[in-house]
Each structure stands twice: as structure tokens, then as C-alpha cells.
Amino acid sequence: MLTALRTEVLRANREIAARGLARFTFGNASGIDRAHGLVVIKPSGVAYDELTPEMLVAIDLDGQVIEGTLRPSSDLATHIALYRAFPNIGGIVHTHSRYATVWAQAGRDIPCLGTTHADHFHGAIPVTAPMSDHAVAGEYEANTAAAIATCFSALNPATMPAVLVRGHASFCWGESVAAALETASILEEVAEMAYHTIVLNAEAGPIADALLNRHYHRKHGPAATYGQP
Amino acid sequence: MLTALRTEVLRANREIAARGLARFTFGNASGIDRAHGLVVIKPSGVAYDELTPEMLVAIDLDGQVIEGTLRPSSDLATHIALYRAFPNIGGIVHTHSRYATVWAQAGRDIPCLGTTHADHFHGAIPVTAPMSDHAVAGEYEANTAAAIATCFSALNPATMPAVLVRGHASFCWGESVAAALETASILEEVAEMAYHTIVLNAEAGPIADALLNRHYHRKHGPAATYGQP
Amino acid sequence: MLTALRTEVLRANREIAARGLARFTFGNASGIDRAHGLVVIKPSGVAYDELTPEMLVAIDLDGQVIEGTLRPSSDLATHIALYRAFPNIGGIVHTHSRYATVWAQAGRDIPCLGTTHADHFHGAIPVTAPMSDHAVAGEYEANTAAAIATCFSALNPATMPAVLVRGHASFCWGESVAAALETASILEEVAEMAYHTIVLNAEAGPIADALLNRHYHRKHGPAATYGQP
Amino acid sequence: MLTALRTEVLRANREIAARGLARFTFGNASGIDRAHGLVVIKPSGVAYDELTPEMLVAIDLDGQVIEGTLRPSSDLATHIALYRAFPNIGGIVHTHSRYATVWAQAGRDIPCLGTTHADHFHGAIPVTAPMSDHAVAGEYEANTAAAIATCFSALNPATMPAVLVRGHASFCWGESVAAALETASILEEVAEMAYHTIVLNAEAGPIADALLNRHYHRKHGPAATYGQP
């Protein structure tokens, strides 16, 4: 029953590598079938070009493997907890893409420095607070999702579809795994341009709210004018 | 009647992607047939590799669609207003190429730090002043062109064929859309080298006017000695 | 008798070039057959794409050529001394890959700034102390290995499989030459991300020991949960 | 009579583009036949992939065209004057490769920060002094060579086969045009690594003379041990 979702998740995992968002096996994509409450995710440590649809693992929201013989991604518990925390998302992409990871390692939000950013993210892309040693030593992966959820207590995951986990890397999401992948790609480009902007001018600040809103709403929501009707 | 122009505009749009000047659909090229007062531009949100000549939209200088069924680029009004403000240009290319955008986001002119720059641009490449919230909330795209025109009140668009729109990205122009594309390519290389130069030596200043003029006039104008006669 | 090792060493040398870890001939890989006490290494100054298995040189741990007619890598004595100093390693890869070399030239350890680093290296990647002019003028290559061994007096080469030789470049090792090559690839990515992190935030510090240990031990040792059982 | 030289110069010009050392037509290579006193150089403004051996121009050391119908490179007079100033060189390559140009624009010598540099250049790669407006307005190209020659009054062009022309870009030379091209490639890599090293650690200084000499003489001169005998 998960054939279409498996195909979509497989394509997103392969695209992670094809777009240069992850070296080696540093990344994973998942999708969820909300009707059946099942998550399809990459198996752990398998090279992107060796993946087949059957290798993907299907898990319910309690973490029980329903289909598949391989061990799921070691980040599975983060994915499941995010699907629980953000009930409207359909896909998650986690990568160690270079510049998004740099911002996560630097422990800084990515400010909205230009319209490329504003076209896709409604404001600064946040970095999570440090996790306690206790949280790290305990249910680390689930606690990572908890740190993200805390970070989003005043943010809307629909208009801010990405987060930087401090000292780690990014998680992106969207209505589908394909949308999450597109966000991961754009995040990396935005992160790289923001990095160079701050290096060039440490005083560079965010664009005006008027400009942020104008660009964001050209592409998103009922008044969008971008693309074809 | 616009067959040749459509072909040229199509090629320029494809080259934007082929040369790595724009990721996704972040860029657009247009050309103008001055005899008929018609602009040919990319449709909004269509991937570069899916474009066909028929998909391009022809619009008159009042913004009325004359040929084409797709919605034109969301930046159309900027293009039209630039063609009005700069009556001698024949093509415009807008991209979010990385380093030109970085300078736009940093809110800094690109100083003329070397002869690569001087070979193509006669002086610093300017950044526009901030737009008011009122201008952003109103006819934003046309107001963007107005900000460019204000910035060029004391500049010659023939010898300075590019501008950085603050917090946004670059617009380039030329006698033809092919010339505008070439300028966009060179701008990106010049912007990247200027960026690294300033990072390496924050005190680096512009080259002497004598050197700027010597290089610029080796390639441009009646005394040019570069290339074949 | 060294057929398998020759094949493995040949592949690693070619991969050094294929992965962009070395320009020109700036790098070399070797492997050791511990049972026979023989090291197989790249010949000096031969382009990676011209290498054949027969061109590789086999040398014993006293530095005597046992098989081969070409002159071995000029770094041979460093390899041999490292195989003596670290009796559990099976392969060594030396490259001048860009960002690892930048850290070596800057004379700085690469701090563990994130989980990408922690997944592969248990702590900061060290840089050796300066060598005396006397050591440089004498048995330079062997003395390079001695500087590495001194640097590792309180480090475990099994959990820290790389070093930066100050003012020079990196040496990586592992159970096999293939493992050493993988480490060299990951080192370069980690070095590049650490570089940008420090440029973005000079105050960025290492991640907490709890997070370092959590990630390192997810991938290494008896409690590892990463990959397939 | 210049067939072999034309082939060699053609190949070097094409390699300038193939190795990414020059965008567009920003670079040129020449070679000299000392027996006949003839220089073969790229024609001005011709794309690298359109060059044929017949398009190359042969000029004597007085600047008279001996063979060829196209206009020679606009930098011809610099090449000729360098062949006069440095009587032992056989080829010259001029490019605007990115990081070498950045150092030239920053007006800084490239210090010898590591052994990659020391393997090829015996000390810091110098930048020329600023040219006077008078020199720029006069015989600019010949005066560029004069500035280089002045810069080399205490340097040996055999052991320092490259220079940065301030505010402009690099010139490299060697026993042959192929050697000059190889130097241009290595210069760019060395320049990029030096750039990042200084950005990472502004206090990074040159390696000790002992290490510089050790590495330089491993690869150059009668005591060289690198490569095959």
C-alpha cells in the first residue's frame, strides 16, 4: 500500500546525494502516510546509489517496524517525534549540507538578509538551544526533536520549514518529502549567501519586514502571483 | 515577427541556468524589439530546461500581453520600466547569482579593485538605496526600476551595465540580451574576486583612474584595441 | 603474494585524484602486509591515471625495496616510521587536500565543532609541533613521523585516525588503505566546515563531551547502532 | 618552421580554459623560439575552443608580425619585454585565475605558508609596485614588464617563476610554455590555500627557511630526489 510513498522517499534520498547535499551517507529522507500512520525512511548507513524501494523501512508512530528487514536510520526517533509535533507535514529531509551545518556549528540563526531568503522562509531560520548532557545521554534522537519543538513554540512550521540543530545540522520538512527536499536545497544556497554576506559586512542586518512580507507572499498563500495559476 | 528575438531570449534564459547563474527558477531574461515596442520575457516559475520559444510572453511597454498564454515573470514590471528609463538597451538579465547577491545583501557597491573589473565596468558597480516600506507595499516591481533609475541619475548605463538592488540581487543589461547575459557572467566573477580581495585585505582600495581608463578603453569605444578589427 | 594489496593500494591512489583530494601528484597511499612485513606504496612523481599495479613498489620495514623498479614516494620514510609507531594500522593516505592543508598551514588543531566531526574523530584533530631546523635538515621524512608519534603520545591512533603536520599537510590511516582513504575524504569535509564555522564565529567552541561521545559511539565500538548489523 | 612551437602554444592556451584558469578570454599563453628570435602568441579576443594553430601569431622581438593575419594578444608587448628581460625562459602564461588575482588586487605578496608552496616556489611570490599614471598612460604593456623586471632585481626568475602584477593578475613563465602552464595551475592552488590560511589565522607566518629549502630542493636542482631518475 505504500508503493507511491516508497517511490517518493527513494527519489528524495537519491536526490540528497545527486544535489550534493550530503557526502557519504550523512543524510536521510522520510515521508509519512497520515491515513495509515506509517513513516517510510532510509535504512541506516546504506549508500544512496544502492537504495531500492524494498530497502526502505516502514515504521508506525510508536516506532514499531511494520515493513522491512533493514535497520532504519539512526535518526528515526527524531523523524517520528517531528511527525507527532508537526501534524501537517508530510516529509522530512535531514542533511549535513555544508553551509547550513556551518551555521548550526556556529550556533547562529540565519538572518533574513535578502529576497532569496524571503521568497522561501518567513524570517530568520532558527537554531535550537543547547541540549543538556542529560538529554544527550538519554533518548538522544527523540530529545533532538523535543529541542526543535521547543524552538518552534512561537514559530509556524508551515512558514518556517527548516531548523538548525545546534552543533549538528539541519532538518527540513514540507507537505511532501519532495517539498522538504526542495527546501533543503534552497536552505543550503541561502545559508551560503548569508555566510558570505556576514563575512563581507558583519553589520549587515535583516531586510525590512515590508520587503520580507512582499516577497514571501508573492510566492506563498492565497495572494501569490509567482508561477502559473 | 518576434521569432529571432524569441530565440535569443530563450537561449539567454537557458544560459542563465547553464552557466550556474541561477538555481531553481531564480532569474529571468528579456529582450526588446524597439521598432515594435515589444518585450519578450520568460514566463513565471517555469524551469529553464522546459522552456520553448512559444512559452515566452510578448508584452508592450504598457504591460499588455500581446502574444502568449502563460503568466509573465513576476519581475516583468521592473524590466518594462528599465526599458523605458534606458532607451538604448536591448536586453535585460536578472539573476540571484551568488556573489553579486552577496554584495547586494551586504548593501555595498563593488569597488573597482582590478583590471578584470575595469575591462568591463567603468567604475564601482552601484547598489541602490533602500526602498521605503511604502514603495515596497505599492507597485513594488516598478518601484524597483525607479530605485535603479535614481541610482543612475549620474551614471551612464552604457558604461555601467549592471546594478545591485539592495537586499535583493543584480540586474544587468546591454545592447542585446546576449550582451546582458555576458555581463551577468562577468559580474559574478568580478563580484567573487572583489569579495575575496576585501576579506583578505579590508583596506584594499580601487585601482587608479588612469589604470581603470586604460583597461576600459582597451576594450570599449573608438580607441579599443582588444579583439579582432 | 601481494596481489590483493597492490590492487587495494592502486585503487586508493587513484581515488585520491578522483575525489579531488590531491592536485597533480601531491599525495600518496600505501598499505602494509603485516604477516610479511612489506609495505606497498606509490612510486614518486607518477600521475595517478598512469599507475599500474606493477608500478607500485614493495619495501620492507627497514626500507629495502623488495619488489619494483621505480623509485618509491619521497614520503616513504614517513610511511614506514608510522607503520612502526602504530602497529595496528594497515594503510596510510597522505594528501595536500585543500582545507586540511589550510589548518596545517595555520598551525591550528581542528576543534570538534559538530556532530559530523564527532561521528568520525574522537576529539580535536591535532597539529604537530614545529620541527627543528636540525630535524628538517637530517632524516626529514623519518623525523616527520617522529613528530607525529610525539604528538600522539597521549592520543589513540585508533580513535584519532588523522594528523596535521604543521606547515605541510595531513596524514590519515586506518585498518586498511581503503579506510585511510575514507578518513582522508571525511577529514577534508570536516576541515572545510570547521574553517567556515570559525570564520563566521571566531568564538565557536567544541561541542560538549556528552554529544561527542554520543555521536562517536553511535558509529564506533561495541555499542554502535549505525549501519546494518 | 614553428610547427612544434605552434602546437605547444595552442595546447597551453586551450589548457588555460580547460583547467579553469581563465573565464571568457581572460588569459593568453606564448612560447619563444630563441634560435630564430620568434614569439608565438594567442590572437586577441578569440575563444579558446575556436583556436587553430594557424590563428596563432608569430612576432619577432622588435614586435613585428612575421606570420599570421590576426591581431596578437593585447598583452603582447608584456610578453616580448619579459622574453628580453629573462633570457632563459621559453614560455609565458598570463591568466586572471581567481585567487592569484585576489592576491594581486589585495596588493600582497603570497607568503610561503607551507610545503605545497615550497615544492614549487622558492620563497614569497612577489607583487609588483604600483605603476605611475604616466607609465599606465604611456607604453602600458611594456611598462608592465618593466615593473616586473624591477620587482625581480633581487630575485631569480628560475626559482621564482611567477609574479603578481598589482591590481591586475599573474604572469608565470618557465623553460617551456607547458612548464609555465603547470606553474600557473600550481600558483592558483597555492594562492587559494594561502588565502584561506590567512583568513583562518591572520598571524600565520612563513615556514622556516630550513623547511623551504628542504622541500624546494627535493624537487629542483642537482640534489632532487622527487620523481623518477
Side-chain angles (χ1 to χ4, degrees):
Chain A
M1 61 190 170
L2 298 168
T3 306
L5 184 59
R6 282 178 178 278
T7 301
E8 196 185 354
V9 172
L10 177 67
R11 186 181 302 134
N13 275 292
R14 284 188 179 153
E15 281 289 299
I16 286 175
R19 297 189 185 198
L21 298 173
R23 312 297 169 102
F24 314 103
T25 55
F26 305 171
N28 41 69
S30 73
I32 188 168
D33 177 328
R34 290 280 180 188
H36 297 88
L38 290 177
V39 172
V40 171
I41 196 166
K42 179 176 178 289
S44 181
V46 176
Y48 297 106
D49 57 1
E50 295 174 3
L51 283 180
T52 62
E54 301 75 38
M55 290 171 127
L56 300 176
V57 189
I59 303 111
D60 68 20
L61 287 173
D62 295 320
Q64 298 302 311
V65 173
I66 304 301
E67 289 181 1
T69 56
L70 294 175
R71 185 191 277 177
S73 164
S74 57
D75 294 309
L76 169 66
T78 311
H79 289 244
I80 288 180
L82 283 177
Y83 285 121
R84 287 182 170 277
F86 300 156
N88 294 318
I89 67 175
I92 296 172
V93 168
H94 168 54
T95 82
H96 288 216
S97 70
R98 191 172 290 155
Y99 285 92
T101 303
V102 162
W103 284 92
Q105 292 190 158
R108 292 182 61 167
D109 297 349
I110 304 178
C112 180
L113 298 171
T115 62
T116 321
H117 183 128
D119 280 336
H120 298 89
F121 303 96
H122 194 257
I125 300 164
V127 64
T128 59
M131 290 170 73
S132 69
D133 287 0
H134 185 73
V136 169
E139 298 293 325
Y140 169 61
E141 291 81 8
N143 290 339
T144 297
I148 295 170
T150 301
C151 179
F152 270 67
S153 60
L155 289 171
N156 180 351
T159 60
M160 182 49 61
V163 71
L164 307 173
V165 176
R166 185 181 292 257
H168 187 161
S170 67
F171 283 83
C172 298
W173 49 80
E175 293 185 4
S176 64
V177 63
L181 177 77
E182 191 75 359
T183 293
S185 294
I186 294 171
L187 169 62
E188 179 61 11
E189 181 67 18
V190 165
E192 179 165 358
M193 294 204 299
Y195 166 83
H196 293 304
T197 302
I198 294 297
V199 170
L200 181 58
N201 180 0
E203 308 301 317
I207 59 174
D209 282 352
L211 189 57
L212 165 60
N213 288 322
R214 181 79 194 198
H215 268 265
Y216 188 78
H217 295 302
R218 283 212 311 187
K219 287 207 171 182
H220 302 271
T225 58
Y226 184 83
Q228 301 304 320
Chain B
M1 61 190 170
L2 297 168
T3 307
L5 184 58
R6 282 179 178 277
T7 301
E8 197 186 351
V9 172
L10 177 67
R11 186 181 301 132
N13 274 292
R14 283 187 180 151
E15 281 289 300
I16 286 174
R19 297 188 186 199
L21 298 173
R23 311 298 169 100
F24 314 105
T25 56
F26 305 172
N28 41 69
S30 72
I32 188 167
D33 178 328
R34 289 280 179 189
H36 297 89
L38 291 177
V39 173
V40 170
I41 195 166
K42 179 177 178 289
S44 181
V46 176
Y48 296 106
D49 57 1
E50 295 174 3
L51 282 179
T52 63
E54 301 74 39
M55 289 171 126
L56 300 176
V57 190
I59 302 111
D60 68 20
L61 287 173
D62 295 321
Q64 299 301 312
V65 172
I66 304 301
E67 288 180 4
T69 55
L70 294 175
R71 186 190 276 176
S73 163
S74 57
D75 294 310
L76 169 66
T78 311
H79 288 244
I80 288 181
L82 283 177
Y83 283 121
R84 287 182 170 276
F86 300 157
N88 294 317
I89 67 175
I92 296 172
V93 168
H94 168 54
T95 81
H96 288 216
S97 71
R98 192 172 290 154
Y99 284 92
T101 302
V102 162
W103 284 91
Q105 292 191 158
R108 293 181 63 167
D109 297 349
I110 304 177
C112 180
L113 298 171
T115 63
T116 321
H117 183 128
D119 281 337
H120 297 89
F121 304 95
H122 194 257
I125 300 164
V127 65
T128 59
M131 289 171 74
S132 69
D133 287 0
H134 185 73
V136 168
E139 298 293 326
Y140 169 61
E141 289 83 7
N143 291 339
T144 297
I148 295 170
T150 300
C151 179
F152 270 67
S153 59
L155 289 171
N156 180 352
T159 59
M160 182 49 60
V163 71
L164 308 173
V165 176
R166 185 181 292 257
H168 187 160
S170 66
F171 283 83
C172 298
W173 49 80
E175 293 185 5
S176 64
V177 62
L181 178 77
E182 191 74 359
T183 293
S185 294
I186 294 170
L187 169 62
E188 179 61 12
E189 181 67 18
V190 165
E192 179 164 358
M193 294 204 301
Y195 166 83
H196 293 304
T197 302
I198 293 297
V199 169
L200 181 59
N201 181 359
E203 308 301 316
I207 59 174
D209 282 352
L211 189 56
L212 164 61
N213 288 323
R214 181 80 194 197
H215 267 265
Y216 188 78
H217 295 301
R218 284 211 310 186
K219 288 207 172 184
H220 302 272
T225 58
Y226 185 84
Q228 300 304 319
Chain C
M1 63 190 169
L2 298 167
T3 306
L5 184 59
R6 282 179 178 278
T7 301
E8 196 185 355
V9 171
L10 177 67
R11 186 181 301 133
N13 275 292
R14 284 188 180 151
E15 281 288 299
I16 286 174
R19 297 188 185 199
L21 297 174
R23 312 295 169 102
F24 316 103
T25 56
F26 305 171
N28 41 69
S30 73
I32 188 167
D33 178 327
R34 291 279 179 189
H36 297 89
L38 291 177
V39 172
V40 171
I41 196 167
K42 179 176 177 290
S44 182
V46 177
Y48 297 106
D49 57 2
E50 295 174 4
L51 283 179
T52 62
E54 301 74 39
M55 290 171 126
L56 299 176
V57 190
I59 302 111
D60 68 21
L61 286 173
D62 296 320
Q64 299 301 310
V65 172
I66 304 302
E67 289 181 2
T69 57
L70 294 175
R71 186 190 278 175
S73 164
S74 57
D75 294 310
L76 170 66
T78 311
H79 288 244
I80 289 181
L82 283 177
Y83 284 121
R84 286 182 170 278
F86 300 155
N88 294 318
I89 66 175
I92 296 173
V93 169
H94 168 54
T95 81
H96 289 216
S97 71
R98 191 171 290 156
Y99 284 92
T101 303
V102 162
W103 284 91
Q105 293 190 159
R108 291 181 63 167
D109 297 349
I110 304 178
C112 180
L113 298 171
T115 62
T116 322
H117 183 129
D119 280 337
H120 297 88
F121 303 97
H122 194 258
I125 300 163
V127 65
T128 59
M131 289 171 73
S132 69
D133 287 0
H134 185 74
V136 168
E139 298 294 326
Y140 169 61
E141 290 82 7
N143 291 339
T144 297
I148 295 170
T150 300
C151 179
F152 271 68
S153 60
L155 289 172
N156 180 351
T159 59
M160 181 51 60
V163 72
L164 307 173
V165 176
R166 183 181 293 256
H168 187 161
S170 67
F171 283 83
C172 298
W173 50 79
E175 293 186 4
S176 64
V177 63
L181 177 76
E182 190 75 0
T183 293
S185 294
I186 293 171
L187 168 62
E188 179 61 12
E189 180 67 18
V190 164
E192 179 165 358
M193 294 203 300
Y195 166 82
H196 294 303
T197 302
I198 294 297
V199 170
L200 181 60
N201 180 359
E203 308 301 318
I207 59 174
D209 282 352
L211 189 56
L212 165 61
N213 288 323
R214 181 79 194 198
H215 268 264
Y216 188 78
H217 294 303
R218 283 212 309 188
K219 287 207 171 183
H220 302 272
T225 58
Y226 184 84
Q228 300 303 320
Chain D
M1 62 191 168
L2 298 167
T3 307
L5 184 58
R6 283 179 178 277
T7 301
E8 197 185 353
V9 172
L10 178 66
R11 186 182 300 132
N13 274 292
R14 284 188 179 150
E15 281 289 299
I16 287 174
R19 296 187 186 200
L21 297 173
R23 312 297 168 102
F24 315 103
T25 56
F26 305 171
N28 41 69
S30 72
I32 188 167
D33 178 328
R34 290 279 179 189
H36 296 89
L38 291 176
V39 173
V40 171
I41 196 168
K42 179 177 177 290
S44 181
V46 177
Y48 296 105
D49 56 3
E50 295 174 4
L51 283 178
T52 63
E54 301 75 37
M55 290 171 123
L56 300 176
V57 190
I59 302 111
D60 68 20
L61 287 173
D62 296 321
Q64 299 301 311
V65 172
I66 303 301
E67 288 181 3
T69 56
L70 294 175
R71 186 190 276 175
S73 164
S74 57
D75 295 309
L76 170 65
T78 311
H79 288 245
I80 288 180
L82 284 177
Y83 284 122
R84 287 182 170 278
F86 300 156
N88 294 317
I89 66 174
I92 296 173
V93 168
H94 168 54
T95 82
H96 288 216
S97 71
R98 190 172 290 154
Y99 284 92
T101 302
V102 162
W103 284 91
Q105 293 191 158
R108 293 181 62 167
D109 297 348
I110 305 179
C112 180
L113 298 171
T115 62
T116 321
H117 182 128
D119 280 336
H120 297 89
F121 304 96
H122 194 257
I125 300 163
V127 65
T128 59
M131 289 170 74
S132 69
D133 287 0
H134 185 73
V136 169
E139 297 294 326
Y140 169 61
E141 290 82 8
N143 291 339
T144 297
I148 295 171
T150 301
C151 179
F152 271 67
S153 60
L155 289 172
N156 180 351
T159 59
M160 182 49 61
V163 72
L164 308 173
V165 176
R166 184 181 292 258
H168 187 160
S170 67
F171 282 83
C172 298
W173 50 78
E175 293 185 3
S176 63
V177 62
L181 178 76
E182 191 74 359
T183 293
S185 294
I186 294 171
L187 169 62
E188 179 60 12
E189 181 67 17
V190 165
E192 178 165 357
M193 295 204 300
Y195 166 83
H196 293 304
T197 302
I198 294 297
V199 170
L200 181 59
N201 180 358
E203 308 302 316
I207 59 174
D209 282 351
L211 189 56
L212 165 61
N213 288 322
R214 181 79 195 198
H215 268 265
Y216 188 79
H217 295 302
R218 283 210 312 187
K219 287 208 171 181
H220 302 272
T225 57
Y226 184 84
Q228 300 304 321

